[in-house]
Amino acid sequence: MVGKGTIKVTLHQLSKTIDHSLLHPTMTDADILSCLKTAREYNVATACVKPYFIPLAKRELAGTGVLVCPVIGFPHSNSTTKRKVAEATDAAKAGGAEIDMVVNIGKVLDGDQGYVTREISQINDAVTANGVILKVIFENDYLKFEHIARLCEICTHVGVAFVKTSTGHVFVKQADGSYNYRGATVKDLKLIREKSGSNVQIKAAGGVRTLDDLLHVMSLGVTRIGATATVVILEDAKKRGIGTY
């Protein structure tokens, strides 16, 4: 994913682009506690957790600069809007500082823009009323160009803080019959930056696994990534001589 451009960054800036992901369905409490230790040690932007783990994550990260980022409607977003609003409100009140939500993918594919807009708007209103910001996950692997473009326009109109490419937890049947996902592709990131307002930031998730990947997506306008490869990325940055400040 490395391009020809040049980007100047510090280790601190790199770490603060990372939402350290603690979302795999098989993760135990011990696994999550270990990952929270990593989030503290590497001073990432947030630890992205399942909603039930918010209180413990908040306790473990107290006194650090690492925020708690719960997910709602994750990963398939099939709950009602009312349930998602309640889940988002509970997450914000429990200590989530940033919240990642998944759009209703079926409604996006239906072209039901009214439903999609109302749902995103209601959830955004609920979280911002509690001093929290919202990231809206598109799940690009399921979507076509026109769906992604329209979601960017909706999110810009609603005024969400971030749009996000994918959950990293879906698998789509490919042409060769295998099940996999593309995640954050260069083509999609360029489209999202073009179609989103200047006040909307971009989070890339799925496929950003190396320092070169991170530097490339940053050059495309990405300000946050979802990653499990935090240690690999930041240790490589240190080896290459990228300083803290």
Side-chain angles (χ1 to χ4, degrees):
M1 295 181 78
V2 182
K4 295 180 180 179
T6 300
I7 185 168
K8 294 183 178 180
V9 292
T10 66
L11 189 62
H12 177 75
Q13 288 170 329
L14 290 174
S15 69
K16 288 304 182 183
T17 67
I18 298 175
D19 287 347
H20 188 51
S21 179
L22 293 71
L23 298 171
H24 195 279
T26 64
M27 290 187 81
T28 64
D29 286 4
D31 294 331
I32 295 173
L33 286 169
S34 177
C35 288
L36 289 173
K37 182 180 178 183
T38 298
R40 288 197 310 270
E41 290 177 351
Y42 286 88
N43 192 30
V44 296
T46 78
C48 210
V49 301
K50 304 166 190 177
Y52 78 88
F53 217 85
I54 298 170
L56 188 52
K58 186 177 177 183
R59 187 194 75 193
E60 292 295 309
L61 297 173
T64 73
V66 182
L67 303 177
V68 179
C69 175
V71 293
I72 65 162
F74 193 91
H76 298 129
S77 201
N78 292 322
S79 301
T80 64
T81 299
K82 182 178 180 180
R83 181 63 255 160
K84 291 179 198 172
V85 169
E87 187 179 9
T89 301
D90 288 346
K93 290 182 176 178
E98 300 181 0
I99 290 175
D100 287 15
M101 65 155 284
V102 188
V103 297
N104 186 310
I105 299 159
K107 286 292 187 181
V108 173
L109 293 172
D110 277 340
D112 194 342
Q113 297 174 9
Y115 185 102
V116 174
T117 302
R118 286 191 299 273
E119 180 166 276
I120 293 172
S121 182
Q122 287 178 39
I123 296 170
N124 191 57
D125 287 346
V127 301
T128 55
N130 286 279
V132 174
I133 68 168
L134 184 67
K135 306 191 199 89
V136 177
I137 306 172
F138 292 177
E139 206 64 276
N140 287 354
D141 278 72
Y142 289 136
L143 307 178
K144 296 180 180 179
F145 175 98
E146 59 267 27
H147 300 128
I148 297 169
R150 184 57 184 144
L151 279 171
C152 291
E153 293 168 357
I154 290 170
C155 288
T156 299
H157 173 73
V158 170
V160 304
F162 282 83
V163 294
K164 177 180 172 183
T165 57
S166 48
T167 64
H169 288 271
V170 301
F171 293 90
V172 180
K173 191 173 184 178
Q174 306 297 317
D176 63 0
S178 66
Y179 283 83
N180 211 321
Y181 68 93
R182 294 175 294 116
T185 67
V186 170
K187 181 180 178 181
D188 285 351
L189 291 172
K190 287 181 176 179
L191 171 63
I192 290 171
R193 185 64 282 165
E194 177 188 347
K195 296 296 183 180
S196 299
S198 59
N199 291 332
V200 179
Q201 299 184 66
I202 302 172
K203 177 175 174 179
V208 184
R209 300 185 180 94
T210 68
L211 176 59
D212 287 336
D213 289 343
L214 173 53
L215 293 173
H216 192 193
V217 298
M218 288 175 70
S219 76
L220 299 175
V222 168
T223 54
R224 196 76 64 84
I225 67 165
T228 57
T230 299
V231 175
V232 171
I233 291 170
L234 296 179
E235 286 299 323
D236 190 18
K238 292 177 184 178
K239 289 177 183 177
R240 295 197 201 183
I242 297 176
T244 304
Y245 296 102

